Amino acid sequence: MNSAHDQKSLTPSPAEPVWRSKDYEGAGETLNLDLERYWLEARVLKFWIAGIIAAFLLLSLVVTLLMQPVYEAQSRIEVSQITANVTDIDPLDGGANVSENQYLNTQYELLESRFMAERVVEAGNLMRDEAFLDAFDLLENEELTTKDVEDLLSDRVTINGIVQSSLIDIVFSSPSPDVSAAIATLWAEEFIAANYDKRFGDNIEARQFLQQQLSELRETLAQSEEALVAYANANEILVLEAGDGEGAETAAQSLAATDLSALNEALAQAVTDRITAQAAVQAGDLLGRRKNPQLTSALALAEAELSTLKENFGPDYAPLRQKSAEVAALSRALEDETASLLGGARASLAAATARERELRAALERAKTNFLGQQGQSIQYGILKREVETNRALYDGLLQRFKELEASGAGQNNIKLIDRAQAPKRPASPSLVLNVLIGGVLGVLNAAALVYLRVLLSQTVRSPEEVSDSFGLPVLGAIPLVQGGEILEALRQQSSELSEAYRSLRSNLAFMSPEGVPGVVMMTSTVPAEGKSMSAVALSASLAKFGKRTLLVDADLRNSRLQDTLDIGYNDRIGLSALLTNPESTVAGSVERLEEFGIDYISPGVRPPNPVDLLANSRFAEVMAEARGQYDQIVIDAAPLLSLADAVETAKVADGVIYVIEFDRVKVKAIRAAIDRLRSSGAKVYGAALTKLDQRAAEYGYGYGYGYGYGYG
């Protein structure tokens, strides 16, 4: 007995043939396990997967046939960077310098803005366009608003920038090819117009304002000029203008002032002439200053010659007398001329005096007229300055208007390259694309189904999961045998089921240095996991190995092993009787199962308090007695569930083989049950994975299919 307890404390031999123990596998194997499990579930659900994919493919076909055709039309514009101003006129709107990418991104956002939708709706009069409204079935919609149409346009327009270029495609989709082409082209045109307004709109507005101001100022200038002319005519104010020789400026003065100035100058000249004539007459030097030089010279020459003749000849000398007559004739001619000149001088003096008198009188009249116009010139000057001011304002505004006209006549930096053409074929629906999408959705939904199946099942699907989840080696992988032929399969030494349990026995031999532990308990989480039949099979395998083997049915609550083995009931013997009657012996309570070569202790009468019986020291005494009579003892304990039967039973065993049914019990429940065993001090050697079906074959486990058993 002490030896048995010593064996319970021993660790498994390093040579134990555990199956993919957690200590031996890496992260890559865990990943492979997950993928394999998904693949396994996919194979199990292959008909569901095929149905889901087929359903989505059919749905995509139906949707394609029911979808309304949509036509896409595309217009193309070119957006260039704004060039520098080529005039000396400063623009009213100075644009900031931005990078090309930033500028193009700004244009993309503007093309997709609500501002553009509003312009297109207004420019195309889409609220009343029957073709547009009919294309979108909006003719009968009495509650249609402008915002609804704008939202519709925004949803249907797509802006595509062509990489490494300044070209932008404007794509509009609608059920009508003509409407799509019209809106795509209109969108491009309105964007070009909006850009022009943005660039030159301030200049245009300024020109319009200046044009209005020029018109008003022109009328004001005309009125002021008319008032000036009317005042001058009413007051007989004549204004003379003279150019400066270049035509750029003029000088203006009244006729009265001009006359006064001219008369004053003429009077001054007349006074000068009179004084000169009077002085000539009074001084008497007029003759000396006014002699005929020819006569004077001839007279002087004749007098000289006469003097010479008188000195040399006498008075009777004929040449002398002739020269004397010549001198006399010249003297008379000179005197006659002098007399004539003196008369002319006096006449000139009289004429100058008369002219001076007349000019002085005229000057007095002009002075009187000029002085009379002095008061009128003040108002005339006021009117004239008003005319000049209005003319200066008009000329300044006109100059600025011409400048803005020159600077505002620039070219738009956005141009329409291609107008949209009505498409001949619809862009959607695309049968190929929809079928492809349907196939992808089908595959995704099928994958989701497999994933949810794996996620929600959380059951043990392979020996590797036993090691990963519970840290237990798998001592045996027992195949599922369909139908009720399990006993027949166990009787056949060559059956795959018998071979599996022999493998379990062999692996169990490595659990202690002495070989197979003396007392082995088998339990499970819930009933019908194959625990009881595994206990029978293991006992039979040990017996065939030459060991005296005892099978103890310790499931005092709900054992069905007697019915399965077709053993008759005997109320006087069994485990219940052994535990309640101190006089009972093991030898007197066993029954022989010849076909398996083992002894068997049935549970006996079902007691009202199974846990109390199993926790009693009598149970340990019975097992000590059995150890002395048998080489191997296999205890078929009750399932753990939420009961303490198996925990109490484990106290008398060297170790526990935990039976887990393939793909049935949740991992969480199994882990909780194993933790209960370990917390009680029980030694769990490993697990036996039972009822491996065809799904487990994907992992390399399984021994043939077509047999079956369905209870434990």
Side-chain angles (χ1 to χ4, degrees), residues 298-559:
L299 177 60
L301 180 60
E303 288 178 348
E305 292 178 353
L306 178 60
S307 177
T308 300
L309 290 176
K310 284 180 177 182
E311 290 177 358
N312 297 318
F313 301 99
D316 295 328
Y317 186 63
L320 177 63
R321 290 195 299 275
Q322 293 178 353
K323 187 57 70 176
S324 296
E326 181 179 354
V327 169
L330 289 173
S331 296
R332 286 193 301 273
L334 185 59
E335 289 176 355
D336 292 340
E337 183 177 359
T338 301
S340 176
L341 290 174
L342 181 59
R346 291 174 178 171
S348 296
L349 177 60
T353 302
R355 185 169 180 270
E356 178 185 359
R357 187 170 51 251
E358 292 176 356
L359 286 174
R360 193 174 299 279
L363 180 62
E364 291 297 328
R365 291 193 301 271
K367 185 185 299 183
T368 301
N369 186 27
F370 179 76
L371 292 176
Q373 289 185 349
Q374 284 292 334
Q376 299 171 349
S377 64
I378 296 176
Q379 182 63 28
Y380 181 84
I382 294 173
L383 295 176
K384 184 177 180 181
R385 283 192 295 274
E386 182 178 358
V387 170
E388 292 174 349
T389 301
N390 290 336
R391 180 176 288 110
L393 290 175
Y394 179 80
D395 291 341
L397 290 179
L398 182 61
Q399 177 67 22
R400 184 55 177 166
F401 177 79
K402 295 298 183 182
E403 292 174 353
L404 290 177
E405 188 174 23
S407 64
Q411 292 184 349
N412 200 340
N413 65 306
I414 300 179
K415 298 180 180 180
L416 180 62
I417 303 302
D418 293 328
R419 301 177 67 87
Q421 301 294 327
K424 297 180 180 179
R425 299 183 182 85
S428 65
S430 172
L431 179 60
V432 175
L433 179 61
N434 287 350
V435 169
L436 180 61
I437 294 175
V440 172
L441 292 177
V443 171
L444 291 177
N445 279 270
L449 175 64
V450 174
Y451 175 77
L452 290 176
R453 174 67 179 264
V454 173
L455 182 65
L456 296 178
S457 65
Q458 295 185 348
T459 57
V460 177
R461 298 292 185 88
S462 71
E464 289 86 346
E465 292 185 15
V466 175
S467 176
D468 294 339
S469 301
F470 317 120
L472 294 177
V474 177
L475 303 177
I478 314 302
L480 173 66
V481 180
Q482 299 292 344
E485 303 297 331
I486 182 171
L487 293 177
E488 182 64 28
L490 288 176
R491 295 186 184 101
Q492 297 178 3
Q493 297 300 312
S494 60
S495 68
E496 294 175 341
L497 187 62
S498 298
E499 180 64 30
Y501 282 112
R502 281 196 293 272
S503 177
L504 172 62
R505 181 201 64 195
S506 299
N507 290 329
L508 187 60
F510 292 96
M511 293 297 101
S512 69
E514 292 77 13
V516 177
V519 180
V520 177
M521 186 188 86
M522 302 192 74
T523 186
S524 63
T525 308
V526 296
E529 290 192 67
K531 165 183 63 68
S532 297
M533 293 307 301
S534 294
V536 173
L538 178 60
S539 300
S541 180
L542 290 171
K544 290 182 174 59
F545 199 62
K547 301 290 186 178
R548 290 177 299 166
T549 305
L550 174 65
L551 172 61
V552 179
D553 190 348
D555 188 355
L556 302 181
R557 294 180 183 270
N558 187 27
S559 176

Side-chain angles (χ1 to χ4, degrees), residues 53-93:
I53 296 176
F56 272 92
L57 291 176
L58 181 60
L59 179 62
S60 65
L61 177 61
V62 173
V63 169
T64 302
L65 296 177
L66 295 179
M67 286 178 64
Q68 185 182 41
V70 176
Y71 295 86
E72 290 185 353
Q74 171 183 297
S75 61
R76 177 170 293 181
I77 60 176
E78 180 184 8
V79 179
S80 304
Q81 277 277 44
I82 298 177
T83 57
N85 186 16
V86 296
T87 67
D88 294 333
I89 309 301
D90 294 333
L92 296 181
D93 183 16

Side-chain angles (χ1 to χ4, degrees), residues 557-570:
R557 294 180 183 270
N558 187 27
S559 176
R560 295 182 294 173
L561 190 56
Q562 286 181 287
D563 292 335
T564 302
L565 299 177
D566 194 17
I567 301 174
Y569 289 88
N570 189 342

